[in-house]
Amino acid sequence: MKSTKYVYLFEEADGTNKKLFGGKGAGLAEMTHMGLPVPPGFIVTTEACLRYFENRKRLPKGLMEEVQENLKKIEEKTGKVFGSSQNPLFFSVRSGAALSMPGMMDTILNLGLNDETIEGLIQITSDGRFAYDAYRRFIQLFGKIALGVEEKEFDQILNRMKEKEKAVYDTDLDADSLKDVCEQYLGLIRRKTGTPFPEDPMIQLRLAIEAVFKSWMGKRAVDYRREFNITPEMANGTAVNVCTMVFGNMGFDSATGVAFTRDPATGENILYGEYLVNAQGEDVVAGIRTPKPIQEMKKEMPKIYRELERVRRVLEEHFHEVQDFEFTVEKGTLYILQTRNGKMNAQAIVRTSKEMVAEKLFDKEKAVSRLKPNELEQLLHKRIDPNFKGKPVAMGLAASPGAASGKAIFDADEAERVGKLGHRVILVREETKPEDIHGFFAAQGILTSRGGKTSHAAVVARGMGKPCVSGCEELHIDPKGREATIRNIHIKEGDFITIDGSRGEVYLGEVPTVDPEISGDLLTLLRWADEIRTMGVRANADTPEDAVKARQLGAEGIGLCRTERMFNAVDRLPIVREMILAGSKEKRAEAIAKLLPLQKGDFKLIFRAMEGLPVTVRLLDPPLHEFLPSAEELASELRKLEEMERAFSSMENISEAMKFVDPSFRESLKPLEHMVVDLNEIKEKRLDRKLIRKQQETFRKVKEMMEVNPMLGHRGVRLGITYPEIYRMQIQAILEAAAELIKEGLDIQPEIMVPQVCTAQELKWVYQLVKKIQKEVESQYQVKIPFKFGTMIEVVRACMRAGRLAEVADFFSFGTNDLTQATFSFSREDAENKFLPLYNERKILQDNPFEVLDVKGVGRLMMITIEWGRRTKPDLKIGICGEHGGHPESVIFCHNIGISYVSCSVPRLPVARLAAAHARLQEKEREKEKRPPGKFDPDYPFTVFF
Amino acid sequence: MKSTKYVYLFEEADGTNKKLFGGKGAGLAEMTHMGLPVPPGFIVTTEACLRYFENRKRLPKGLMEEVQENLKKIEEKTGKVFGSSQNPLFFSVRSGAALSMPGMMDTILNLGLNDETIEGLIQITSDGRFAYDAYRRFIQLFGKIALGVEEKEFDQILNRMKEKEKAVYDTDLDADSLKDVCEQYLGLIRRKTGTPFPEDPMIQLRLAIEAVFKSWMGKRAVDYRREFNITPEMANGTAVNVCTMVFGNMGFDSATGVAFTRDPATGENILYGEYLVNAQGEDVVAGIRTPKPIQEMKKEMPKIYRELERVRRVLEEHFHEVQDFEFTVEKGTLYILQTRNGKMNAQAIVRTSKEMVAEKLFDKEKAVSRLKPNELEQLLHKRIDPNFKGKPVAMGLAASPGAASGKAIFDADEAERVGKLGHRVILVREETKPEDIHGFFAAQGILTSRGGKTSHAAVVARGMGKPCVSGCEELHIDPKGREATIRNIHIKEGDFITIDGSRGEVYLGEVPTVDPEISGDLLTLLRWADEIRTMGVRANADTPEDAVKARQLGAEGIGLCRTERMFNAVDRLPIVREMILAGSKEKRAEAIAKLLPLQKGDFKLIFRAMEGLPVTVRLLDPPLHEFLPSAEELASELRKLEEMERAFSSMENISEAMKFVDPSFRESLKPLEHMVVDLNEIKEKRLDRKLIRKQQETFRKVKEMMEVNPMLGHRGVRLGITYPEIYRMQIQAILEAAAELIKEGLDIQPEIMVPQVCTAQELKWVYQLVKKIQKEVESQYQVKIPFKFGTMIEVVRACMRAGRLAEVADFFSFGTNDLTQATFSFSREDAENKFLPLYNERKILQDNPFEVLDVKGVGRLMMITIEWGRRTKPDLKIGICGEHGGHPESVIFCHNIGISYVSCSVPRLPVARLAAAHARLQEKEREKEKRPPGKFDPDYPFTVFF
């Protein structure tokens, strides 16, 4: 049996095999192959880690022998000896799994130090303080990580020493004090573990390797993998990287630093980073010395700078990605200690994507896949000026994107008051409740100290499109004292703060923000996304202005044009009310006749803006009573009128009478425009009784139309069938508008869509109406009007009857807002205010299903619908026009289940275009690897994608 | 090629082959085989009819030759000759398909008469008047049916003759006049058809056969088949029955009559029927002579009566069913002319079912299958006394079952007024509208002249359980004149009328009715049904009283016990309100602690009543605000309080002040129990401000709890999770009640059911709560409490997640009321009032889905749920507890898709038990014939049953 090789020198390892060598190890191996100056070292493979656990936490046989052999080779290369008191070799030991995974072991530096080897270190560096400082750090880290001694015990010793020496910083301690600390540390370890600190460097190394392995199954690492769904296929076990120590603090020809191959904030193609001369990485953390921008190295260490410029080029050419690398300069010699893909903000990703394609570093597909749709969203909201260099004072959850500044205000009433005075306000609360809603309206943004991304604050803010940072736990609010504290920083009511809801950041004061704009680079990237994606992207647009904007943002048509929005316009509403309140068919017909030219005009403008592209017009959907004043409003108005009438009918003296009129009523008389109330009239007791009668009649009608559950009420096609005049008018307006433009020679593609359909009979009924009106209009205008006819799928029964509906419909369009309500039996307004936040908190639901498409419930219904619909009509066009059409994950799901196009709100078009491209790229990846599109659910007869 | 035989003598035909010989022909053939005195004759098969249409309406080749041959045989048998002027043979010619089908051809009697053969008839009968009367009838019928001359033309001739002779009835005309009429008729036919009346009897016979065939495709017959879904498999083509004429009007030794082998009104085992001496069937129709009860024949024609008694016995022994037969006595000889299964009312079916099993005429399965569940319903409502012999004055649709009498009132306001005076009222309207609802409350029953079974009147009446006859088109209503007319009968407002909504009948005056009762015979029949059915039947019962009644009516447990009904009891509601309005957790806990013993007490009584049977208790379902007064109510009360306070705060003189108080308010002060308003207090201006504050607080709370769509709101398990105290209390009450009874040694089977579940997480949450409380209670009482845990399936998402829910649930129970609302996106209250009637009228929906389970939508979801649920847990118990659980067709569907039990309201238990037995019998029938359970729908991956 061939024995497995567990240990590889950097030069032996295959840098593309991250699974075996971990990300960090692979990077070191690659750089070694490329001839970059990596200090010699070796990797213990992830496989050794797996064996370790299989073997009940015992290192695989022969592993330490392999380590020993490789160690020899390194001693040969470096000319140093592990454990020598003359010329000692030290190692850094780091974990490194296939995926970067916070929560695993930190680095152990200076491994190999003991009471003997420290002498060698002192000799080499001629710096006793440096050596003992390195030693005490090593003992502490090793003691904590490999031997399990609590960190605070070490801290106590150090603090006592600092007190004794009146030192403020660690660095104020001299060599002797540090030596004393080291001795006390060694004593501590002996006491706590019952055995002396392992002086033997080989034992140190073995224990360090084991400690790294153990950290793989540590609670934090396991939680992290669960949280981010990291499966064994993605990363299994950790490797151990054992690398020769190099020291950046060996004098003024030494230095340490981190660098990006491009500017991660702007994407600019320059070397970007920071460095410190005569320092180790930890010195930056200690916070006494401020690192310098790397550009200064040009003067200070010109040779090294030139080398770094070369490294930068070599790295990018090799990795085809912006790199974030660590380096150390030891006595004039540059070493590269680590490299990984650089994390950048969205703007930088966009710029580098475009430029690196131009530089042929990668292709367009890679360019598109680099920008995550969620990151793109950052660019679509107001954000902190990227040139602003300040740091946030606290971090919370990125609950609703966008940045906003304003006075911190600690309750909703005050927020409303201050807002009305014209000030900008950030509402700051421990958590929000439904009764805070007026505070939301008044505020520019919301900041809470408690609650997750689905807390009340988060959900409501997203609904309103306002920035929100939630769950900022460092923030302590004292609503009575009207102030908040972050650590030792006090924020008084009225102080300016700034929040960035895209990144969960909180800043003091007013931080400059920039408005969203779509850069030329982004446009290029989106064009490339369009080339890649196979699913269409349309916009939900109700006005000519929206249509123009949608087209600019790349919409390939309108997927949802809501005609009721037109009904609500100021010049229409009175006519619409006239129509609804009409006592007879004739009166209603009159009102409708007035609406026809208005709607036709709207359609003409929209059609013209979308020339050459399809426009899906949805016939009237909401219940008619939505266009009327509420019964409550009317009742209160009516009550006041009646009260007034009563009061005056028996009074001579006006001033006496006024006493009996509700004071709030006297106030409210003025704004009731349609009430012809004149004080003289009142005096003369000529109060208009006709007005009262009319209001009473309206009130009666409104009450008659009221519904127990308007969501499930008399609306959509049900309304169309009971009041056929309305749909007739709308259809006529659509077809006449199309006819007039077609006559002009334009390419007009109207699509008529019926809402709330639950049975094919409804659809047939409307279709016959459309065909009839089509004939009339075509003969009147003497043109052929090509149009498509389709149905919303937003009622569950429509899903069940998809096969029949497809006999009548040219297209389906999923209305996932209503479909989600019906599938969950949740009324969105009620749910988001009353129980959804709690449901998310208790993990009963993972997401808010009104934001993230519920693939297991609603998604499954959609799959059934598509399956049955296309069984009847294989080329059935199927869209989605709910809000989910602009949500990245949901867009990807739509692609996977065979949706023809998504239609989303205009501002979300870029996100949808990008997400659709990502969906196609992921699919290509799967095709290449012959992977199925999702896991198979035994519940379900078809394949399931989630 | 073997030529097909188209014509069969009665003795040749196979009486079991109704498809080939039609129902009537098969009966004649059977009776001939049995040796009953059937006049000789032959049948032309349905196959000949099909060939006729295939052959573009030409008789199949050789058919008339076959007829001729068979005719010869009949001439031999009877010694008479077709077309002879001496001893002529006449025939009756009748249609007869496999299923009885009104709307096809009537009988042609006396075929073979012409100017020659009439001489023979005169000779034989020595009665010229009789002969010419027969002749003119024959010419008219033949002229109309075979030659297409309009009936009214004949009537004109006859009427002119009657005027001329001053005759009132046809029978007042003498032989000469009738001869004259015959001649005029012949002239008419010559004029209208252009050819003389066919004198040749063979031509008459051929034309008559063709006329029968043609009637198969006549409009009325085609419509009838479409209306009742009669497919070609059930009946295809009509046969023609050609039978020797016998005359019941050849003197006082002749007679004609119809008889049932048992009394069709009571089921009593006696010969039942009517006869007329010296008469033909038509004389009964003419309406001058009243037929005598058949019992009188015992004296008048004792020999014939004895023969009839024998016929009755022979028929039942042969057909194993009550028969309805026609007979004629010609000169002392009895002939049986037709037999068919007797139509009986429900009571008679029940009695005969039981007795005929005892008489071994058929088995229990047949006995059960004879009683249709819809007919059984007749017995469960008040109905017209079966001994009442009066006839209805008009017929409408049987829109809502039951009988009721009352004063006819023509509008809702008046109905309310008269009802309040203590009178019984029948609301009589052309049609009803939502605003008539107060009239429904006031009325005993509703009668409309327009609208179908799904009109507003029908739907609302059924909802209220009140009798309704709708669409009574003979009824003309003059609401202004406040009267209605039926033909020439006037009904003035206040006149008593009676309606029978089970049969669609309208009677004048107050007709005696009988209360529903379940007879011993019916109990026997239901016991047999229980032996047959395989699906369980449980009751929806919320109180101990209901539980006792349910058990008496054969419930095998309670499938739905709604705990909220207990909350609504008078002694509970104040505590429930206290719980809801509690300002703190502690206050809420106090209120809940008061509820616990009350609920426990309820459960103990119910469990005890159901000992040995399962009781499914549903945890609280409706939103809490349903237990509070409505916001409107509170607002109006509050307004009055405030108005009052204001008025009195500035007044000295109470009487002056009262002027400014809403007069309606002064009225309404008294019933507001919790308002301590005392006129003295008012005088002393001590109006209780605390009361106002309290009401304001309640008002605020109620407004806060109000929901936009309560149906989809904060209810069911959502409530349970947000206010865990409530579910905890209920679970504790259930388990403690069970524990106490188990200690007594009783067999208690509680089942805990969670409403409104949409995800397995919810169910798990409640399950953990139950397990925890179970442990506590078990350790407190030191007993094991066996219980089952399950979920309602009433949210669509639960259907989609059935596989996961089944991991937690022991049982599912479909809540088809809510599931129907969610599937259609129809709010029941809104839909039934606003658009469902129109939808039914326009045939957009066939039925009201809240009454008849929508198998294509909701049913399909149920099938998916069952499929997926049982994939996880093959023995998953699945019930249904919506109203559909008591609807016959829906019960049958439930059986077919594998439901374990239906649970219905207590009064509907008999219907459900019977329907479940029918479902099993139908299934056995299919198994025998190896038929699939329903047609396959290409839409659907599984088999579909409808």
Side-chain angles (χ1 to χ4, degrees), chain A residues 702-718:
Chain A
V702 169
K703 284 204 69 159
E704 196 181 301
M705 296 185 88
M706 267 185 358
E707 292 181 307
V708 185
N709 298 288
M711 180 65 218
L712 308 177
H714 194 180
R715 54 182 298 212
V717 66
R718 298 160 211 159

Short mmCIF file of all heavy atoms in Angstrom, two decimals, chain A residues 702-718:
data_model
loop_
_atom_site.label_atom_id
_atom_site.label_comp_id
_atom_site.label_asym_id
_atom_site.label_seq_id
_atom_site.Cartn_x
_atom_site.Cartn_y
_atom_site.Cartn_z
N VAL A 702 -70.04 54.02 0.11
CA VAL A 702 -68.71 53.56 0.54
C VAL A 702 -68.86 52.40 1.51
O VAL A 702 -68.15 51.40 1.42
CB VAL A 702 -67.93 54.73 1.18
CG1 VAL A 702 -66.67 54.22 1.85
CG2 VAL A 702 -67.56 55.75 0.12
N LYS A 703 -69.79 52.53 2.44
CA LYS A 703 -69.98 51.45 3.40
C LYS A 703 -70.43 50.17 2.69
O LYS A 703 -70.01 49.07 3.03
CB LYS A 703 -71.04 51.83 4.44
CG LYS A 703 -70.48 52.81 5.46
CD LYS A 703 -71.22 52.78 6.78
CE LYS A 703 -71.00 51.51 7.55
NZ LYS A 703 -71.28 51.61 8.98
N GLU A 704 -71.27 50.34 1.69
CA GLU A 704 -71.76 49.18 0.93
C GLU A 704 -70.59 48.49 0.22
O GLU A 704 -70.57 47.28 0.08
CB GLU A 704 -72.78 49.68 -0.09
CG GLU A 704 -73.65 48.61 -0.69
CD GLU A 704 -74.60 49.26 -1.70
OE1 GLU A 704 -75.37 50.16 -1.29
OE2 GLU A 704 -74.54 48.88 -2.88
N MET A 705 -69.63 49.30 -0.23
CA MET A 705 -68.52 48.72 -0.99
C MET A 705 -67.42 48.17 -0.09
O MET A 705 -66.55 47.46 -0.56
CB MET A 705 -67.92 49.77 -1.92
CG MET A 705 -68.91 50.24 -2.97
SD MET A 705 -68.13 51.37 -4.13
CE MET A 705 -67.50 50.19 -5.31
N MET A 706 -67.47 48.52 1.19
CA MET A 706 -66.41 48.06 2.08
C MET A 706 -66.36 46.54 2.11
O MET A 706 -67.37 45.86 2.01
CB MET A 706 -66.64 48.61 3.47
CG MET A 706 -65.89 49.90 3.68
SD MET A 706 -65.97 50.58 5.34
CE MET A 706 -67.02 49.49 6.23
N GLU A 707 -65.16 46.02 2.29
CA GLU A 707 -65.01 44.57 2.29
C GLU A 707 -64.29 44.13 3.55
O GLU A 707 -63.48 44.86 4.11
CB GLU A 707 -64.22 44.13 1.06
CG GLU A 707 -65.01 44.36 -0.21
CD GLU A 707 -64.26 43.90 -1.44
OE1 GLU A 707 -63.12 44.33 -1.63
OE2 GLU A 707 -64.83 43.11 -2.19
N VAL A 708 -64.59 42.91 3.94
CA VAL A 708 -63.97 42.37 5.14
C VAL A 708 -62.49 42.10 4.87
O VAL A 708 -61.62 42.39 5.69
CB VAL A 708 -64.69 41.08 5.57
CG1 VAL A 708 -64.12 40.59 6.89
CG2 VAL A 708 -66.18 41.32 5.68
N ASN A 709 -62.20 41.54 3.71
CA ASN A 709 -60.83 41.24 3.32
C ASN A 709 -60.59 41.74 1.90
O ASN A 709 -60.69 40.99 0.94
CB ASN A 709 -60.59 39.71 3.34
CG ASN A 709 -60.77 39.13 4.71
OD1 ASN A 709 -59.95 39.33 5.59
ND2 ASN A 709 -61.86 38.41 4.91
N PRO A 710 -60.30 43.04 1.76
CA PRO A 710 -60.22 43.61 0.41
C PRO A 710 -59.20 42.88 -0.49
O PRO A 710 -59.39 42.78 -1.69
CB PRO A 710 -59.80 45.06 0.66
CG PRO A 710 -59.46 45.16 2.11
CD PRO A 710 -60.10 44.04 2.81
N MET A 711 -58.17 42.36 0.13
CA MET A 711 -57.17 41.60 -0.63
C MET A 711 -57.79 40.46 -1.41
O MET A 711 -57.34 40.09 -2.48
CB MET A 711 -56.17 41.06 0.42
CG MET A 711 -55.05 40.25 -0.09
SD MET A 711 -54.00 41.25 -1.10
CE MET A 711 -53.64 40.01 -2.34
N LEU A 712 -58.82 39.86 -0.81
CA LEU A 712 -59.47 38.69 -1.42
C LEU A 712 -60.85 39.09 -1.93
O LEU A 712 -61.75 38.26 -1.98
CB LEU A 712 -59.62 37.59 -0.37
CG LEU A 712 -58.36 37.18 0.40
CD1 LEU A 712 -58.71 36.13 1.45
CD2 LEU A 712 -57.31 36.63 -0.54
N GLY A 713 -61.01 40.33 -2.29
CA GLY A 713 -62.36 40.79 -2.53
C GLY A 713 -62.73 40.97 -3.99
O GLY A 713 -62.27 40.27 -4.87
N HIS A 714 -63.54 42.00 -4.19
CA HIS A 714 -64.12 42.28 -5.49
C HIS A 714 -63.13 43.13 -6.27
O HIS A 714 -63.17 44.35 -6.21
CB HIS A 714 -65.43 43.02 -5.25
CG HIS A 714 -66.30 43.07 -6.46
ND1 HIS A 714 -67.50 43.67 -6.47
CD2 HIS A 714 -66.13 42.55 -7.70
CE1 HIS A 714 -68.04 43.57 -7.67
NE2 HIS A 714 -67.23 42.89 -8.44
N ARG A 715 -62.23 42.50 -6.98
CA ARG A 715 -61.15 43.20 -7.63
C ARG A 715 -60.71 42.44 -8.88
O ARG A 715 -61.22 41.36 -9.15
CB ARG A 715 -59.97 43.35 -6.66
CG ARG A 715 -59.53 42.05 -6.07
CD ARG A 715 -58.40 42.22 -5.08
NE ARG A 715 -57.25 42.77 -5.77
CZ ARG A 715 -55.98 42.50 -5.46
NH1 ARG A 715 -55.70 41.68 -4.48
NH2 ARG A 715 -55.00 43.03 -6.14
N GLY A 716 -59.76 43.02 -9.61
CA GLY A 716 -59.21 42.34 -10.77
C GLY A 716 -60.30 41.96 -11.75
O GLY A 716 -61.28 42.69 -11.96
N VAL A 717 -60.15 40.78 -12.32
CA VAL A 717 -61.06 40.35 -13.37
C VAL A 717 -62.49 40.21 -12.84
O VAL A 717 -63.46 40.33 -13.59
CB VAL A 717 -60.57 39.04 -14.03
CG1 VAL A 717 -60.62 37.88 -13.06
CG2 VAL A 717 -61.37 38.74 -15.28
N ARG A 718 -62.62 40.01 -11.54
CA ARG A 718 -63.98 39.90 -10.96
C ARG A 718 -64.72 41.21 -11.18
O ARG A 718 -65.91 41.24 -11.48
CB ARG A 718 -63.88 39.62 -9.46
CG ARG A 718 -63.19 38.32 -9.17
CD ARG A 718 -62.65 38.27 -7.72
NE ARG A 718 -61.46 37.46 -7.69
CZ ARG A 718 -60.53 37.49 -6.75
NH1 ARG A 718 -60.67 38.30 -5.71
NH2 ARG A 718 -59.48 36.72 -6.84
#
